[in-house]
Amino acid sequence: MLKSVGVILRSRTTVLLPRAMSVYNPHFMDPVFRKEDQQVLRETGEAAKRAHVRVKPALNNETCSVFYDPKVAKFTNYIMKGGQKQLARELLTKCFENIKRSQLERYNLASPEEKDNIVTNPVEIFHNAVENCRPLLQLTSIKRGGQRYQVPIPVTEKTSYFLAMKWILEAAREKERTVHLPEKLAWELIDAAAYQGRVIKRKQDLHKQCEANRAYAHYRWS
């Protein structure tokens, strides 16, 4: 009897996909919590269409504050290890402080003509660094005729931001261990914002490899 019950239980066991385990159905829309985005929805008339549509609640770290930056929040998650988000926030804040001090020193020592080209806002430097490090292409392995080829394919916007932030963090962590992470990360962001440094070279090397393998680009569709 017990054996037959065990067989029945094993036969009824199902594997749930990640989408099936979600709390919200796919027809639930993502929340619009920033005031600027809400204003755009009102001007375009999308707000009236969303009035009777079910919307997911915003996450606990998403806010309409002017100090909230989605890319900075995402970069904080990439810095975080072991769920220590408070520590990741403190490290990034110290990194921005080091950037501010370094840029102010350059600003005070520069001539009046050069001061207009020096950016002292660390958040703006962070955005410029990430934009400069974003790759346009990447290589993927495709098997054709028993042989694998490195085929260049375009990178999506989400993947390009992920790769840029990942490369900046890896370049900072590969530096000498006697220097703390905020200082190393500040150096990498300042170099990348000026279109210099190891991360920019890594992106250019990837583009050169994609250009060298352009003859295999048609394997992407075949």
Side-chain angles (χ1 to χ4, degrees), residues 52-78:
H52 304 287
V53 179
R54 295 183 178 182
V55 181
K56 301 176 186 177
L59 300 178
N60 59 356
N61 62 339
E62 294 176 340
T63 173
C64 61
S65 171
V66 295
F67 300 104
Y68 176 77
D69 193 318
K71 291 186 177 61
V72 174
K74 182 69 70 175
F75 193 64
T76 305
N77 293 337
Y78 294 155

Side-chain angles (χ1 to χ4, degrees), residues 1-14:
M1 181 66 180
L2 293 176
K3 186 176 181 181
S4 61
V5 171
V7 172
I8 294 173
L9 291 176
R10 284 196 298 270
S11 63
R12 292 183 179 179
T13 302
T14 56

Side-chain angles (χ1 to χ4, degrees), residues 171-210:
R173 284 171 174 155
E174 286 174 359
K175 286 182 178 288
E176 54 273 11
R177 299 182 64 86
T178 56
V179 183
H180 292 171
L181 179 65
E183 300 178 16
K184 297 187 290 185
L185 191 56
W187 297 340
E188 289 296 334
L189 289 175
I190 292 174
D191 288 342
Y195 212 80
Q196 299 172 358
R198 292 187 293 178
V199 184
I200 298 297
K201 185 178 183 303
R202 182 172 180 177
K203 184 189 82 167
Q204 293 174 346
D205 292 343
L206 177 61
H207 286 174
K208 288 179 182 178
Q209 292 177 1
C210 294

Side-chain angles (χ1 to χ4, degrees), residues 44-182:
T44 57
E46 290 291 331
K49 298 179 182 179
R50 290 174 174 237
H52 304 287
V53 179
R54 295 183 178 182
V55 181
K56 301 176 186 177
L59 300 178
N60 59 356
N61 62 339
E62 294 176 340
T63 173
C64 61
S65 171
V66 295
F67 300 104
Y68 176 77
D69 193 318
K71 291 186 177 61
V72 174
K74 182 69 70 175
F75 193 64
T76 305
N77 293 337
Y78 294 155
I79 296 175
M80 180 178 58
K81 284 187 177 182
Q84 297 179 344
K85 196 161 191 176
Q86 183 63 30
L87 177 60
R89 289 198 187 110
E90 293 175 359
L91 292 174
L92 189 58
T93 302
K94 291 179 182 177
C95 171
F96 285 168
E97 290 178 1
N98 293 332
I99 292 175
K100 187 75 172 182
R101 290 196 186 96
S102 176
Q103 293 299 100
L104 285 177
E105 289 177 1
R106 289 183 56 196
Y107 183 84
N108 294 328
L109 296 175
S111 61
E113 295 80 10
E114 296 176 347
K115 288 184 177 180
D116 297 334
N117 299 326
I118 297 177
V119 180
T120 58
N121 186 1
V123 178
E124 185 177 351
I125 291 176
F126 167 77
H127 283 284
N128 293 338
V130 173
E131 290 293 334
N132 290 341
C133 296
R134 287 176 57 193
L136 301 176
L137 299 170
Q138 66 178 356
L139 294 173
T140 182
S141 180
I142 296 180
K143 188 175 182 180
R144 289 292 181 272
Q147 187 174 357
R148 289 195 172 273
Y149 298 93
Q150 296 297 320
V151 180
I153 60 172
V155 180
T156 61
E157 181 181 3
K158 183 177 180 180
T159 305
S160 66
Y161 279 112
F162 166 73
L163 290 175
M165 296 181 186
K166 175 188 172 185
W167 290 349
I168 291 173
L169 269 178
E170 288 179 352
R173 284 171 174 155
E174 286 174 359
K175 286 182 178 288
E176 54 273 11
R177 299 182 64 86
T178 56
V179 183
H180 292 171
L181 179 65

